[in-house]
């Protein structure tokens, strides 16, 4: 999960891109980057950290130009080194910068082919750099001194034929324009908007519509799966379908957890989808537990509030805010290591005892991934005096790894993998556990856009729509990306950085 943005305007776009990235900060808190173009010159700033920490006044003053792209990242692949912050750059052809949200499932094979056949060198372990070099190679094959829209779209079509997985991309061709495209299944989100000015229209591309509206752009639409749009530096827009057999199958977890509730994705209001999730979950409680003794419904902030409120209304039970959140702690399911997550939960949330004391409490969360946070939260509720603690998940059981850009790579680290509901309930310490049914989740989201025939629900049902995903692939992924592997990489990175510091000091 990352956030991407691109703007073609009539004045400097650095501040607008910065503001958009702050709106998309929830999609990535590990690193941030902006590159702008002024004539035939590029200006780049990227580093690890939050948007507000990466960009200072001195950096912003250098980011001149009327078009540019930006990125916020959390790492699902590669390392957390600042070298892997995006956007990435290649100088041939034309000079291309690229930012990417998603995950390529054949990146290793592509990287090998790029080196041996395309004669290009990859400097990092990031699949985004692989994607950039595939696109750059295909565009260079067109052999034009100046790229025409059809040349760019032909290159995107070639990317679709070579690349597997999920990807939403924004790229800038130095001096010419900004390109955006989406994988043939439309798994990862990307949309574009327009703003009319006295100088003419300005265009913006973003992962979520909320970034557009916050900057005064009108949401035109989402990119279709496999579609590419190209906006020239002088504001001319071109579009083309570049995939052979596109089929819209967006990631349903965006609606469960990842996206902001005020976003519209593929014509679906995230907020309304979450309301319907709460409605469906309440119906399940009424159906399977009609004599429930729930005194109060309490959400685990922030994502589950919408579903919890609707659930309480349907069950005719009090809704209360029982936890106060420290907003300066990052999202816990993407943190490395169970011990770090447990510590983070206690730092992140504090219980209001009067809302728990002597009550049968139904805690509602958007999902249960590793189970660490909900176990700690249930313990906090009991310590605050709750008589019984029930737990409801607005999503079905997360049982399978995600291979399309969400950091859930190791099946053994998912609490529901190969476990029954009763087993999970016992492990997290709840008195009762209620999961959303997958059919109800799909119905809650599909109601917003009936033309969507299926969603990517791979974390719930193990059905992978894009790429050749088999057990060998999943096992290899788990070995490279589980908590132990991440810890080892971080230790190696820290050791290397210390060696550089020591060498510098000795000189």
């Amino acid at each position: 999960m990352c956030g991407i943005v691109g703007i073609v305007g009539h004045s400097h776009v650095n501040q607008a891109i910065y503001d958009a990235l702050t709106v998309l900060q929830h999609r990535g808190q590990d690193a941030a980057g902006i590159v702008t173009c002024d004539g035939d010159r590029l200006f780049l700033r990227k580093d690890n950290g939050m948007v507000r920490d990466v960009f200072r006044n001195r950096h912003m003053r250098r980011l001149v130009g009327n078009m540019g792209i930006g990125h916020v990242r959390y790492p699902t692949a590669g390392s957390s080194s600042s070298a892997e912050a995006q956007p990435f750059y290649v100088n041939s052809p034309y000079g291309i910068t690229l930012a990417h949200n998603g995950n390529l499932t054949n990146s290793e094979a592509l990287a090998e082919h790029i080196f041996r056949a395309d004669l290009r060198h990859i400097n990092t372990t990031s699949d985004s750099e692989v994607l950039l070099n595939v696109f750059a190679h295909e565009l260079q094959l067109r052999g034009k001194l100046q790229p025409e829209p059809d040349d760019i779209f032909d290159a995107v079509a070639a990317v679709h034929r070579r690349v597997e997985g999920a990807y939403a991309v924004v790229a800038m061709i130095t001096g010419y324009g900004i390109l955006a495209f989406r994988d043939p299944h439309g798994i990862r989100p990307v949309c574009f908007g327009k703003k009319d000015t006295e100088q003419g229209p300005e265009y913006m591309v973003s992962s979520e519509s909320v970034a557009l509206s916050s900057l005064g752009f009108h949401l035109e639409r989402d990119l279709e799966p496999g579609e590419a749009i190209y906006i020239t530096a002088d504001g001319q827009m071109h579009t083309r379908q570049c995939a052979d057999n596109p089929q819209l199958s967006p990631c349903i977890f965006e609606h469960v957890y990842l996206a902001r509730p005020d976003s519209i994705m593929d014509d679906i209001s995230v907020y309304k989808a979450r309301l319907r999730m709460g409605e469906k979950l309440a119906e399940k409680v009424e159906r399977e537990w009609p004599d429930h003794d729930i005194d109060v419904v309490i959400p685990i902030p922030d994502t589950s509030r919408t579903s919890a409120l609707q659930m309480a209304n349907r069950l005719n039970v009090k809704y209360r805010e029982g936890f106060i959140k420290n907003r300066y702690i990052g999202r816990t399911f993407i943190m490395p290591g169970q011990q770090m997550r447990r510590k983070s939960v206690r730092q992140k949330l504090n219980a209001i005892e009067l809302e728990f004391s002597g009550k049968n409490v139904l805690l509602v969360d958007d999902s249960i991934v590793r189970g660490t946070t909900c176990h700690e939260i249930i313990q906090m509720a009991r310590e605050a005096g709750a008589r019984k603690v029930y737990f409801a998940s607005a999503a079905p059981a997360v049982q399978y790894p995600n291979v399309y850009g969400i950091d859930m790579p190791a099946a053994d680290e998912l609490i529901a993998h190969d476990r029954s509901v009763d087993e999970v309930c016992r492990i997290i310490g709840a008195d009762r556990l209620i999961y959303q049914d997958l059919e109800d989740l799909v119905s809650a989201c599909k109601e917003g856009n009936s033309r969507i025939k299926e969603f990517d629900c791979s974390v719930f049902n193990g059905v992978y729509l894009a790429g050749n995903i088999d057990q060998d692939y999943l096992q290899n992924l788990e070995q490279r990306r589980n908590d132990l592997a991440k810890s080892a990489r971080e230790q190696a990175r820290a050791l290397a950085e210390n060696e550089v510091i020591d060498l510098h000091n000795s000189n």
Side-chain angles (χ1 to χ4, degrees), residues 294-296 298 355-356 359-363 386 388-390:
I294 301 167
D295 295 320
V296 60
I298 294 178
E355 296 296 354
F356 292 92
K359 299 176 183 178
N360 297 336
V361 178
L362 175 64
L363 301 180
K388 292 183 180 180
V389 182
Y390 309 121

Side-chain angles (χ1 to χ4, degrees), residues 21-326:
L21 292 182
T22 61
V23 174
L24 298 175
Q25 187 75 85
H26 62 285
R27 300 189 66 86
Q29 301 166 17
D30 182 74
I34 294 175
V35 60
T36 59
C37 179
D38 186 26
D40 59 357
R41 295 190 64 191
L42 291 180
F43 302 89
L44 171 67
R45 167 64 181 170
K46 62 178 182 176
D47 202 354
N48 281 354
M50 305 276 275
V51 174
R52 65 172 182 262
D53 299 320
V54 171
F55 303 101
R56 303 293 186 180
N57 286 337
R58 65 182 185 276
H59 304 127
M60 295 298 290
R61 285 194 296 267
R62 291 186 63 252
L63 294 171
V64 298
N66 72 329
M67 66 177 181
I69 64 175
H71 186 266
V72 287
R73 173 185 187 249
Y74 89 75
T76 58
S79 74
S80 59
S81 167
S82 59
E84 306 221 358
Q86 299 183 41
F88 285 109
Y89 169 77
V90 291
N91 66 351
S92 179
Y94 315 116
I96 303 173
T97 48
L98 179 144
H100 158 233
N101 172 32
N103 185 57
L104 308 188
T105 58
N106 64 335
S107 60
E108 290 187 356
L110 283 171
E112 181 71 16
H113 188 271
I114 287 169
F115 178 72
R116 296 189 178 279
D118 296 352
L119 303 180
R120 288 176 171 267
H121 182 71
I122 305 298
N123 297 302
T124 70
T125 58
S126 173
D127 60 344
S128 301
E129 190 185 11
V130 172
L131 183 56
L132 168 60
N133 277 274
V134 171
F135 172 70
H137 173 76
E138 295 298 336
L139 186 57
Q140 191 166 31
L141 289 179
R142 273 65 201 166
K144 298 287 187 67
L145 291 176
Q146 295 185 350
E148 298 294 331
D150 283 342
D151 301 320
I152 294 168
F153 293 145
D154 287 345
V156 173
V159 169
H160 288 328
R161 290 191 292 269
R162 293 180 61 178
V163 169
E164 297 176 0
Y167 46 95
V169 176
V170 61
M172 183 165 62
I173 304 173
T174 305
Y176 293 102
I178 283 180
L179 165 74
F181 58 94
R182 195 177 185 186
D183 72 78
H185 288 86
I187 295 174
R188 297 264 67 87
V190 61
C191 59
F192 72 94
K194 179 182 177 182
K195 178 166 63 175
D196 291 320
T197 71
E198 292 181 356
Q199 294 79 27
E202 296 182 338
Y203 291 94
M204 178 176 173
V205 175
S206 175
S207 293
E208 295 187 32
S209 64
V210 66
L212 302 176
S213 57
S214 69
L215 292 174
F217 285 80
H218 175 264
L219 172 64
E220 295 291 310
R221 59 180 175 83
D222 297 87
L223 270 70
E224 295 293 328
E227 184 186 19
I229 65 171
Y230 175 58
I231 308 156
T232 62
D234 60 357
Q236 301 298 312
M237 170 171 275
H238 307 267
T239 69
R240 196 174 98 182
Q241 175 56 254
C242 299
D244 293 331
N245 297 297
Q247 180 177 336
L248 182 58
S249 307
C251 174
I252 204 165
F253 209 74
E254 291 278 355
H255 297 280
V256 170
Y257 176 77
L258 300 180
R260 271 182 44 158
D262 43 349
S263 284
I264 307 292
M265 288 187 164
D266 297 301
D267 296 327
I268 301 170
S269 164
V270 176
Y271 174 75
K272 287 188 175 180
R274 289 176 184 169
L275 283 176
R276 292 189 289 265
M277 290 177 205
E279 187 83 13
K280 298 287 186 182
L281 197 53
E283 290 173 2
K284 182 173 182 178
V285 171
E286 291 175 332
R287 184 172 62 250
E288 298 185 359
W289 191 16
D291 57 344
H292 70 80
D293 58 350
I294 301 167
D295 295 320
V296 60
V297 173
I298 294 178
I300 297 172
D302 285 316
T303 323
S304 61
R305 280 196 173 106
T306 309
S307 296
L309 180 58
Q310 190 69 1
M311 193 176 183
N313 289 337
R314 175 61 187 260
L315 294 175
N316 197 27
V317 172
K318 289 180 181 179
Y319 170 91
R320 290 291 185 268
E321 293 284 344
F323 292 103
I324 299 301
K325 182 178 180 181
N326 180 349

